[in-house]
Amino acid sequence: MTFSALWESLLPVGRDGGTGGYRRFSWTPADAACRSWFFDAAAERGLRATSDRNGNLWAWWDAPDGAAVTEPDPGSAAGEGAPAGLLGARAIVAGSHLDSVPDGGAYDGPLGVVSAFAAIDLLRERGCRPARPVAVAVFTEEEGARFGVACLGSRLLAGLIDPAAARALTDRDGVTLADAMTAAGHDPAAIGPDQALLASIAAYVELHVEQGRALAGLGAAVGLAVGIWPHGRWRLAFTGRADHAGTTRLADRHDPMLPAAAAVLAARDAAAGHEALATVSKLIPEPGGVNGISSRVTAWLDARAPDEPRLHALVGQVLAVARAAATAHGVDLDTRQESVTAAVDFDAPLRDRLARTLAARGIDAPVLATGAGHDAGVLAARVPAAMLFVRNPTGVSHSPAENAELADCHAGVAALAAALEDLACR
Ligand code: GLV
Ligand code: MN
Ligand code: MN
């Protein structure tokens, strides 16, 4: 099994020595190191590696008969039980992302990429000859940790975000995506939907560490995704007046931290009331002196719910509380929706096919829903998509403590290899 060597080679990249967490933000030196790791892994395997116009990475295992990924064959369906749209010589793609949240764990994203390479190695060991191209994909800025929009690379590919709006996104230092891409040697003028690339994909299968404890409770090493909760991010900018903490009478203050605090508490209440999840974790007070009232506080609300009516009711409730508190404290409030992903139901025929394939190999893969966002959820709007989850013993994720047992990682590789073999190798 090549998994361990490949996994170990990626582990040091972008890891903070102090916290042990990952800081792999898009278009930074850590991101460049992840990209070179990917190109090296592809080269070691003789896979043709490319970066697409949006900076997503692809490593192609071309079909030996020369079926080209750029020549989609609208011919007959792949066979009985094939998912709708699984046609001719279109490619089967497996992958995930390599970027991280601030101090993220090792598995969220990289597990899917390393497992995809390892699954190809396993298929080659078994002598599998693909009847259609197989690719490993890495999507850029999945976490939205630098530019605020989750799944930015897959959204651009799928035409689900305006390229001009994307170029103008800024990081916390005011650097635009366009400037960050240019500095990293990638042309931002080229970003946008890529119909030819999308049309060349028959199916996308993303393996991901589970971000919860459902599989641990069920005693299963791998699972299949049924769907993703609708979710999104909202930015709340409270503008008050900077003043002296030791002399300004309470009645004279315009303190933006107070309505921000009300919004934090309202998020928790609204989530509980709607059987949903809502979090305010990122909060930037400016200038942020201990002995001064801030002039401005920016807060980000992350909200997720089992359905869209509950998501929008939850967000409406938080924003209403924030507005009322801002008015009460003489503070201005500007709100902006940064990204929203609708509810995702993964392609049922593809999921059923994967379930049958795994069951035939004795792999019992329970079907789970998740509140976590994924590129597979974005791409599901354009191509049949599916997800495999690998057990996470504690359920902890977006943390350096995120973990998966090596045996479960191997089970994930075996399941992904079975899926790729079924979809591409016959
Ligand atoms: C991705 O990890 C998300 O925030 O759901
Ligand atoms: Mn994540
Ligand atoms: Mn992820």
Side-chain angles (χ1 to χ4, degrees), residues 269-277 304-306 309-315 317:
D269 284 350
H274 291 93
E275 294 174 318
L277 297 169
R304 312 181 187 227
R310 272 186 272 186
L311 177 68
H312 295 299
L314 181 168
V315 173
Q317 189 175 325

Side-chain angles (χ1 to χ4, degrees), residues 229-266:
W229 281 13
H231 59 282
R233 299 175 178 194
W234 287 261
R235 195 191 72 158
L236 290 75
F238 299 92
T239 305
R241 190 184 68 204
D243 220 327
H244 196 295
T247 58
T248 316
R249 294 187 321 143
L250 295 182
D252 293 340
R253 297 180 179 209
H254 298 272
D255 184 350
M257 188 58 85
L258 298 173
V264 173
L265 296 175

Side-chain angles (χ1 to χ4, degrees), residues 147-149 165 168-170 232-237 296 298-301 315 319 323 333-340:
F147 292 102
V149 176
L169 291 168
T170 51
R233 299 175 178 194
W234 287 261
R235 195 191 72 158
L236 290 75
R296 185 179 167 95
T298 309
W300 281 264
L301 168 70
V315 173
L319 297 185
R323 270 189 216 104
L333 172 58
D334 176 59
T335 62
R336 189 197 301 168
Q337 178 180 295
E338 285 196 333
S339 68
V340 168

Side-chain angles (χ1 to χ4, degrees), residues 195-211:
Q195 298 305 343
L197 181 54
L198 281 173
S200 72
I201 300 170
Y204 175 62
V205 182
E206 180 165 352
L207 178 148
H208 204 279
V209 68
E210 192 198 349
Q211 297 169 296

Side-chain angles (χ1 to χ4, degrees), residues 97 101 108 142-143 208 211 373 397-398:
H97 61 97
V101 297
D108 177 358
E142 190 270 354
E143 300 286 8
H208 204 279
Q211 297 169 296
S397 187
H398 285 184

Side-chain angles (χ1 to χ4, degrees), residues 221-223 354-366 388 411 414-416 418:
V222 297
L354 294 192
R356 282 197 302 276
T357 300
L358 298 182
R361 287 164 173 76
I363 303 171
D364 170 34
L388 285 165
L416 184 59

